[in-house]
Amino acid sequence: MPPASTAVGFYLLGISSRTGDVLAKLGYGQLLKIVNWRQATWVACAIGLGAAALGGALHADSPTQRDVQSVRLAPRELRAILARILSSGHFWLAASALSGTCVVKRAIELLGALYFFDTSANLSQADAASLAMVWSAGLALSVLCGGPLFTRLRPRGKSALVGCLLSLSVFGCAALSRLSATEAVTNADVALRAGMIFLTAIGIGLPYYVPPGMFAVSFGARNSGTVSAYLDTVAFAVSGASIACLRPVLDGSEHGWAMVWAILTAVAVAALLLQLVFLRALLHRGEEQQQLYRGDSDRCSAAVDE
């Protein structure tokens, strides 16, 4: 299967996860108005266990896959796959591009949305938790609207779309750095901050979810899970280290939020450049594979005609 055709599955996966996040923030934000954090956590555990039990009871393989024998990789095969992945320059380019978007995404999720509204807008924890859903809503909208468009565009159009989206993230982070120099006093100030976080999320969603998945599938169906795992390992390690460095900046200055958003602006610019370079290489590989598929199809047709 050509890598570009796998984008549909990845944007559907992104939509499902982001929709759940939006509903969770709205629901728990309202729940925190009547219970404390500990009680809300117990409610979340009960919902998670119930969903896992229900999924296990209702899940069934499709008729075409029910009797298919599973494929197990031998240790030697796994070592060969890992050596191929880790020695690939394309892998490290993909990991660098994903790391840039992951730093912005994880920093806003763990430091930004809820804590930002809680500390810079003088909102209650319940109201801040509810307002933080604008980040998840922006991610979901980016994947929902951008995914179908991405699959229909030609390679140059795909690169332009990703570039425009990440430019929105750069603008959003820069605007938040400027806005954070003063405290939000009015509802209009809070709404403007929420709008900039929403805009940043729209710019991050599709570039974070779709191109890395397409890249993983380009290594083959048997190897795609391993490639995805290693991409996430690198990206989460880089983002974790970055967040550990950002927290002292946030706590150590009166204008900590302005400095954090300025740093994230620089990271978003780097992510924009890396994503464009990575996407150009990825789509070039995809075109080569499509030409190979067309060549095989033409040879099979010629053999049938003979």
Side-chain angles (χ1 to χ4, degrees), residues 41-181:
T41 302
W42 282 114
V43 171
C45 290
I47 293 174
L49 289 173
L54 185 63
L58 299 180
H59 177 76
D61 289 330
S62 64
T64 58
Q65 296 293 326
R66 186 176 297 138
D67 300 323
V68 174
Q69 185 176 3
S70 61
V71 178
R72 174 176 292 181
L73 293 176
R76 180 177 297 180
E77 290 180 293
L78 182 59
R79 287 194 296 268
I81 293 170
L82 297 183
R84 178 190 170 197
I85 293 171
L86 297 179
S87 62
S88 169
H90 285 101
F91 169 81
W92 291 109
L93 178 59
S96 300
L98 179 60
S99 295
T101 55
C102 189
V103 168
V104 178
K105 179 178 180 292
R106 299 294 292 171
I108 295 177
E109 288 176 345
L110 298 180
L111 292 178
L114 192 154
Y115 189 57
F116 176 65
F117 289 125
D118 186 23
T119 57
S120 69
N122 291 323
L123 297 177
S124 66
Q125 289 187 344
D127 290 336
S130 297
L131 192 56
M133 57 76 61
V134 297
W135 170 254
S136 300
L139 292 176
L141 184 63
S142 175
V143 180
L144 176 64
C145 297
L149 179 60
F150 185 87
T151 60
R152 291 182 174 87
L153 291 173
R154 294 183 179 274
R156 184 173 297 180
K158 286 179 169 66
S159 297
L161 176 61
V162 170
C164 290
L165 288 173
L166 285 173
S167 296
L168 291 179
S169 293
V170 173
F171 175 78
C173 290
L176 285 164
S177 177
R178 175 64 177 169
L179 292 171
S180 298

Side-chain angles (χ1 to χ4, degrees), residues 122-255:
N122 291 323
L123 297 177
S124 66
Q125 289 187 344
D127 290 336
S130 297
L131 192 56
M133 57 76 61
V134 297
W135 170 254
S136 300
L139 292 176
L141 184 63
S142 175
V143 180
L144 176 64
C145 297
L149 179 60
F150 185 87
T151 60
R152 291 182 174 87
L153 291 173
R154 294 183 179 274
R156 184 173 297 180
K158 286 179 169 66
S159 297
L161 176 61
V162 170
C164 290
L165 288 173
L166 285 173
S167 296
L168 291 179
S169 293
V170 173
F171 175 78
C173 290
L176 285 164
S177 177
R178 175 64 177 169
L179 292 171
S180 298
T182 58
E183 187 175 353
V185 178
T186 66
N187 291 335
D189 294 334
V190 176
L192 185 58
R193 284 163 167 77
M196 290 301 102
I197 288 182
F198 181 74
L199 190 69
T200 304
I202 289 178
I204 286 291
L206 185 139
Y208 177 82
Y209 285 104
V210 177
M214 291 172 56
F215 173 78
V217 173
S218 71
F219 276 76
R222 295 183 66 190
N223 306 333
S224 60
T226 305
V227 176
S228 295
Y230 272 76
L231 283 175
D232 287 342
T233 298
V234 175
F236 275 74
V238 172
S239 64
S242 300
I243 293 170
C245 296
L246 286 175
R247 188 54 192 259
V249 175
L250 178 61
D251 295 337
S253 172
E254 181 182 355
H255 301 290

Side-chain angles (χ1 to χ4, degrees), residues 273-288:
L273 299 176
L274 286 170
Q275 279 280 356
L276 291 178
V277 175
F278 158 62
L279 197 58
R280 181 179 180 182
L282 173 63
L283 295 175
H284 179 69
R285 290 180 64 187
E287 287 182 333
E288 290 180 345

